[in-house]
Each structure stands twice: as C-alpha cells, then as structure tokens.
Amino acid sequence: MNETMVCAVGNVATPPVYRELAAGPSARFRLAVTSRYWDREKNAWTDGHTNFFTVWANRQLATNVAASLTVGDPVVVQGRLKVRTEAREGQPNRSSADLDAVAIGHDLARGTSAFRRANRPDTAASPPRPEPDWETPAGDSADATEQQEWQRQAEPVAVT
C-alpha cells in the first residue's frame, strides 16, 4: 500500500516494445525527462540533467501505448516508482528507475492529440439506460408559480 506514485513529464526516447505474455499484453519504452532552469548569467532557460526511466505498461494500457506512441512524443506518465540496484562482479553497483504506469497521455501543453476509444470486446450486453432529462422549465410565469408551490409542499415541516 505504501507505494511511491510519481508523475513524470518528458519525451519518448525509444520505440515502445510490445509483447503478448501469458499474463496479458505488456509494453515498455524509455522516457527522457530533462529538467530546465533559469540561468541568470545567460539570462535564458537552460537544459539541466536528463533522467531516463523505463516505463512499463500492462493489459489495455500496453495495447494503447503500442498503437499511440512514437519516439519523440511529449508524454505525461503517472505510475509507481521502482528503483532497482544490481550488483555485478568486478563492477560498481548499477541503479535503474522504472515506472509501472497507471496512466500515460500526450502532453497537450506541447501539441495536440486526437483521442479514439479503444474497441473493447462485448462481455455482457447491458440494457441501454435512458438519458436523464437535463432540460429546465421554460420559465413561463404559470410554470414558475407551479414549481414554487411544489417546492413549498416538498419542504419538511419543523417540529418544535
């Protein structure tokens, strides 16, 4: 339950790799996140260090990632942060950061996107629900008087 949820904004650095596994579809790609800061000496914005994350997507999210993302796309990724450290013989320890994605989307601050719903298989056909009536009364004075009378009758009476 104590998971580190993060939101990372960056660019897709590698083409998404899609796999059909026994547990369901899976996709992964590398995300480049570059910090920017105001350089007072240059009086301009400057790129800072770039962090790379491996983003993992599963099930329907994986299918949609494979169909929607290409290298260079600006994206917003929300997910669980997982930091791993590997010990290799004769080499220093190596750390990597993964994001187990919950949601991924194009960064609309840097461009536009056209949304298309994914086709989902019909599991159980549910009966269509009627659309609620959101219309308000026309404002006719007779209707307004009638509505005020109805509201007065619907109000509970206080007992003292």
Side-chain angles (χ1 to χ4, degrees):
M1 196 69 145
N2 295 328
E3 298 172 330
T4 305
M5 296 293 288
V6 297
C7 183
V9 179
N11 293 322
V12 177
T14 61
V17 176
Y18 178 82
R19 300 272 191 264
E20 282 286 344
L21 304 174
S26 178
R28 74 173 190 275
F29 64 91
R30 298 281 285 165
L31 177 69
V33 178
T34 304
S35 63
R36 290 179 57 84
Y37 65 94
W38 181 256
D39 189 342
R40 292 182 188 185
E41 294 173 6
K42 296 178 183 175
N43 203 28
W45 286 98
T46 304
D47 287 342
H49 178 73
T50 301
N51 292 305
F52 288 91
F53 298 94
T54 300
V55 178
W56 295 90
N58 297 303
R59 296 176 291 283
Q60 186 64 44
L61 181 58
T63 305
N64 295 342
V65 161
S68 302
L69 299 183
T70 59
V71 173
D73 284 355
V75 292
V76 178
V77 178
Q78 182 176 4
R80 289 176 283 283
L81 177 65
K82 300 192 179 191
V83 178
R84 296 179 290 132
T85 303
E86 288 181 30
R88 293 188 179 172
E89 218 173 293
Q91 296 180 357
N93 289 349
R94 180 179 166 182
S95 295
S96 63
D98 294 354
L99 290 176
D100 187 10
V102 173
I104 301 171
H106 285 109
D107 183 359
L108 298 181
R110 298 193 277 161
T112 62
S113 185
F115 181 78
R116 289 184 311 275
R117 286 203 185 277
N119 292 334
R120 292 193 290 180
D122 290 335
T123 52
S126 60
R129 297 186 338 206
E131 191 69 29
D133 183 18
W134 297 106
E135 296 296 319
T136 56
D140 192 13
S141 61
D143 288 341
T145 307
E146 186 179 306
Q147 187 176 10
Q148 288 172 353
E149 181 63 31
W150 180 81
Q151 286 176 343
R152 200 175 9 256
Q153 291 174 358
E155 291 178 8
V157 178
V159 178
T160 58

